[in-house]
Amino acid sequence: MGTITKKSRKRKPEGEYSVQGTLRYVLKLFGREMGAKGILICMGQAVSGILYPFLSAALAGVIVAALSGGGSAGEILLTVGGYVALQQAFRLLAGYLAQDGEGVIFQFRIRMGIPLYRCSLEADAAFLESDEGQKKMAGALGAVFWGNGHGFEAYMRELVRLMTNLGGFLLYAFVIGSRSLPMLALILFSAVLTAGASLLAKRREAGLEKENDSNRAALAYLRKITVDTVNGKDIRLYRMDRWLLGAFEKAIDRFTRLRGKGRAAYMAAGLFGKGLSFLKNLLIYGFLILQMAQGRMTVAAFLIYTGLVSGFDSWLTACFAALQEFFRQDITIAKFRAFEDAVAAGKRGKWGDAVPERAGQAHEIRLEQVCFRYPGSETDTIHDLNLTIRSGERLALVGANGAGKTTLVKLLCGLYRPDSGRILLDGQELGELSEEACFREFSVVFQDVFTFSFSLMENVSCAEEEATDLDRLRDSLTRAGLMEKVNGLEQGVHTPLNRDLGENGVSLSGGELQKLMLARSLYKGAPVVILDEPTAALDPIAEGEMYEKYDELLQGRTGVFISHRLSSTRFCDRIVFLENGRMVEEGTHEELMKKGGAYANMFSVQAQYYKEGEEAACLG
């Protein structure tokens, strides 16, 4: 088996996604999510939006042609009435489809939250926790949840608007060009120059948007810490409001200044287009007047063509505006794609398709020369670590804060992959296993213990209620010592936890929360159980009792217990003392105390601290 090393993967920057590629990407997603009906509604919206203005622009010419055609009053009335009826039918159709289309596009944006969250849930843990991962995820969130003026909804709305105006532009250009090819050439030349100016403005804004990412991140962070109730006490007691408001003002100023530069580029392109349009109209109107003066054009034809030329300017202006906004949203969609591609790249080649040879049984875990460094860090968090955790063994990982204990836990269960070295499960490299098969063998309780705002049942089984084994659930709750509490609740195991989703939610105490985590571990029944300081919020005595309860209930499994309180893990078969990502001591509690090294020194300090605390409590 070869050594696993981290390979650098090139991820395409957001600015390098082509406009055509993004268009194909969004249309594919739209077709998948909204189906043929959604596509037909948007296409019908564009077609009706083209034909109604066209019929309106030609109305005056049609009336004049009917009046001067020499027909009877009834024939004139029938011709004009039929034309007006057709025009109004398209007007009603355009209005209906526009309203229906808005609803379809809104649904599309909301539905794109599903692949976004799927990406977030399936992303490589190390990538998602990194600064790069957080930045890319924030950009992807903007494409879905910044409102109807951003991301997928705005992109599709502007695409329909662009199709409508581009279609109208081409239709008018064709009709006008059928009268004169030089007029058509002049119109197309004007359009090319206008589009070129818009593309230059888009490139300028793309660069500024990338530069503005740091300001966007600063605003998001300031919003987060300002509204978080956990921070509220310190903000008020230490009078941080002026400081935070000042930071808000600076970030907003920097953000709006760069945004202003981007809009200035589009404004310059717009002024260029308007000036070009003025010169073009001057030449075209002069040509039409000359044609009528020379008797080569009737009054009715003159009215039709002047109406079309006048309307053509509106099409061109609207097309230009839609193009600007379309390019702006193209940048936002690129951030969604960048996150999606980064997640896929982070997963590629990381997992195999094998299953553990001893699935469901207590495993031996072996680390061989394992090194791990967080992205952006200059030093390794785990250094050349060699460690074997025997099948069925109770191993304690101890050490001061920052020793690398939590990082090691994430490496053990496959959440992180080492930069070099190997991690073996009964001789099989973790990378050879499928992700699902690997995670099935581990039950981990991390130090940041929390409950989801769903039913107590779902918090234990980690599945929907209909997929939960009730007998197994009750057995787990009983063994964890939580069944008495559950029986006292009005809704029993169906009781919702917390109050995020309703007023009838229940909050658990610290001890009850630990028992819930124990019940979750028992329900899963994984052969390897890892406790990463989940009882840190409890007092030392309660923590020790909880660890001993885990030890009692998890017999026959491999257990890894982590705590910075050394007295809590004295019952373990072996203790490994970590320092700066290295294993500096190992042995039983008695062996390490006799050695008089780092472990013995820390244990003595902690014992004295607890003794002084008890004496102070008695005096109080």
Side-chain angles (χ1 to χ4, degrees):
M1 296 182 183
T3 299
I4 297 175
T5 56
K6 184 179 287 184
K7 298 179 181 179
S8 60
R9 300 180 179 91
K10 292 184 179 180
R11 295 170 183 142
K12 184 175 285 190
E14 293 110 35
E16 292 187 16
Y17 292 103
S18 69
V19 175
Q20 300 93 326
T22 300
L23 177 60
R24 289 193 297 270
Y25 171 80
V26 175
L27 289 178
K28 181 179 178 181
L29 291 175
F30 187 80
R32 185 188 72 190
E33 297 295 332
M34 306 313 299
K37 181 181 178 181
I39 295 173
L40 288 174
I41 288 173
C42 290
M43 290 179 62
Q45 184 180 348
V47 171
S48 60
I50 293 169
L51 292 179
Y52 169 64
F54 178 79
L55 294 172
S56 298
L59 179 60
V62 169
I63 293 174
V64 170
L67 291 172
S68 59
S72 65
E75 290 173 338
I76 293 173
L77 186 60
L78 185 61
T79 300
V80 174
Y83 189 90
V84 171
L86 180 64
Q87 176 212 25
Q88 291 303 305
F90 272 101
R91 176 174 175 268
L92 292 173
L93 181 62
Y96 170 77
L97 290 176
Q99 186 174 8
D100 209 18
E102 283 292 311
V104 167
I105 292 171
F106 170 76
Q107 290 178 42
F108 172 58
R109 172 172 71 89
I110 298 302
R111 290 179 66 87
M112 286 309 298
I114 296 174
L116 169 61
Y117 285 130
R118 182 181 295 115
C119 267
S120 300
L121 293 169
E122 294 178 352
D124 174 67
F127 165 72
L128 198 62
E129 293 173 7
S130 68
D131 291 340
E132 179 193 4
Q134 288 294 302
K135 177 182 174 182
K136 287 188 180 298
M137 185 168 67
L141 285 168
V144 180
F145 295 117
W146 277 5
N148 57 11
H150 297 273
F152 285 102
E153 185 173 354
Y155 185 93
M156 283 302 301
R157 184 184 299 112
E158 294 307 323
L159 176 60
V160 172
R161 184 179 165 207
L162 183 60
M163 288 170 53
T164 303
N165 288 289
L166 184 60
F169 164 77
L170 293 175
L171 176 62
Y172 279 41
F174 173 78
V175 175
I176 294 171
S178 65
R179 184 74 190 186
S180 169
L181 288 178
M183 272 203 306
L184 176 61
L186 180 60
I187 289 171
L188 294 178
F189 179 69
S190 171
V192 168
L193 290 180
T194 302
S198 183
L199 284 171
L200 290 175
K202 185 255 183 181
R203 184 175 297 178
R204 168 68 171 161
E205 188 187 42
L208 291 169
E209 280 293 304
K210 191 172 183 179
E211 188 179 343
N212 220 356
D213 281 342
S214 60
N215 296 319
R216 191 178 287 105
L219 285 171
Y221 173 73
L222 288 167
R223 284 195 301 268
K224 178 182 175 182
I225 64 173
T226 301
V227 302
D228 191 341
T229 55
V230 175
N231 304 323
K233 301 183 295 294
D234 294 278
I235 290 174
R236 285 160 179 76
L237 286 171
Y238 290 95
R239 306 302 302 165
M240 299 180 189
D241 49 340
R242 292 182 181 178
W243 171 37
L244 291 174
L245 287 172
F248 258 120
E249 289 179 1
K250 290 178 182 177
I252 289 172
D253 285 344
R254 292 192 300 266
F255 182 83
T256 53
R257 185 166 60 250
L258 288 174
R259 269 293 176 90
K261 289 181 180 179
R263 293 188 180 278
Y266 278 116
M267 186 178 294
L271 290 173
F272 173 78
K274 289 182 182 299
L276 196 63
S277 178
F278 172 77
L279 293 175
K280 176 203 67 186
N281 287 342
L282 197 64
L283 292 173
I284 290 177
Y285 282 130
F287 172 77
L288 291 175
I289 292 171
L290 181 63
Q291 288 273 297
M292 192 176 69
Q294 293 176 344
R296 298 178 181 178
M297 181 180 289
T298 64
V299 174
F302 178 80
L303 289 174
I304 290 174
Y305 279 101
T306 52
L308 292 177
V309 170
S310 176
F312 178 81
D313 263 353
S314 299
W315 286 119
L316 188 59
T317 301
C319 189
F320 176 72
L323 199 62
Q324 286 180 326
E325 191 59 33
F326 180 76
F327 285 148
R328 187 175 294 117
Q329 299 310 321
D330 177 84
I331 297 170
T332 305
I333 301 299
K335 293 180 179 179
F336 185 96
R337 295 184 69 187
F339 176 63
E340 192 175 56
D341 288 347
V343 168
K347 301 279 285 186
R348 194 175 298 123
K350 184 175 181 180
W351 297 102
D353 54 8
V355 297
E357 295 173 357
R358 301 178 64 252
Q361 303 179 48
H363 297 291
E364 176 194 84
I365 306 172
R366 188 165 75 251
L367 290 81
E368 298 178 348
Q369 297 179 310
V370 169
C371 294
F372 178 82
R373 178 180 299 186
Y374 284 97
S377 175
E378 296 182 356
T379 58
D380 288 344
T381 302
I382 301 297
H383 305 267
D384 198 27
L385 186 64
N386 291 285
L387 173 65
T388 298
I389 305 171
R390 295 182 289 272
S391 174
E393 182 181 20
R394 296 291 187 271
L395 179 76
L397 291 174
V398 299
N401 290 334
K405 302 187 295 294
T406 296
T407 302
L408 182 54
V409 165
K410 293 178 179 179
L411 286 164
L412 285 173
C413 63
L415 288 174
Y416 288 176
R417 195 55 56 86
D419 294 325
S420 62
R422 302 193 305 168
I423 301 177
L424 306 163
L425 191 74
D426 297 325
Q428 289 179 280
E429 287 194 26
L430 288 187
E432 295 178 354
L433 307 176
S434 71
E435 184 177 25
E436 182 180 356
C438 177
F439 289 166
R440 194 183 297 124
E441 303 302 301
F442 293 89
S443 178
V444 185
V445 182
F446 291 101
Q447 48 189 288
D448 47 348
V449 175
F450 67 96
T451 55
F452 296 100
S453 295
F454 301 119
S455 71
L456 187 146
M457 174 192 293
E458 291 169 312
N459 271 274
V460 173
S461 67
C462 299
E464 296 175 341
E465 293 196 1
E466 53 268 24
T468 299
D469 184 330
L470 290 177
D471 292 335
R472 189 173 169 186
L473 174 76
R474 293 190 182 95
D475 178 66
S476 300
L477 290 169
T478 301
R479 294 172 66 196
L482 196 60
M483 200 64 209
E484 184 178 350
K485 168 71 175 181
V486 174
N487 288 334
L489 299 173
E490 185 177 345
Q491 299 181 60
V493 295
H494 302 284
T495 301
L497 298 183
N498 310 322
R499 296 187 177 180
D500 298 294
L501 302 179
E503 291 297 322
N504 60 340
V506 172
S507 297
L508 300 179
S509 67
E512 291 166 347
L513 189 58
Q514 296 304 326
K515 292 176 181 178
L516 184 74
M517 295 301 104
L518 174 55
R520 178 185 289 175
S521 178
L522 290 168
Y523 184 91
K524 183 176 183 181
V528 181
V529 178
I530 303 176
L531 306 182
D532 180 18
E533 301 193 78
T535 58
L538 302 180
D539 62 72
I541 296 175
E543 180 184 50
E545 291 175 350
M546 183 58 66
Y547 272 52
E548 289 179 7
K549 192 172 185 67
Y550 267 101
D551 180 54
E552 175 189 345
L553 293 173
L554 300 177
Q555 292 298 321
R557 307 180 193 182
T558 303
V560 180
F561 299 83
I562 299 174
S563 176
H564 65 279
R565 294 170 179 160
L566 307 189
S567 61
S568 299
T569 52
R570 292 175 60 180
F571 64 87
C572 290
D573 303 319
R574 186 162 49 116
I575 297 172
V576 170
F577 190 88
L578 293 177
E579 193 173 86
N580 297 322
R582 292 184 171 89
M583 186 173 68
V584 295
E585 292 180 352
E586 67 171 317
T588 64
H589 171 74
E590 290 74 18
E591 290 171 347
L592 293 176
M593 290 301 293
K594 287 179 183 179
K595 188 175 182 180
Y599 176 88
N601 181 59
M602 181 176 284
F603 186 88
S604 299
V605 170
Q606 289 188 3
Q608 181 64 30
Y609 171 77
Y610 294 138
K611 182 178 179 181
E612 291 174 355
E614 290 172 1
E615 291 175 353
C618 291
L619 291 173

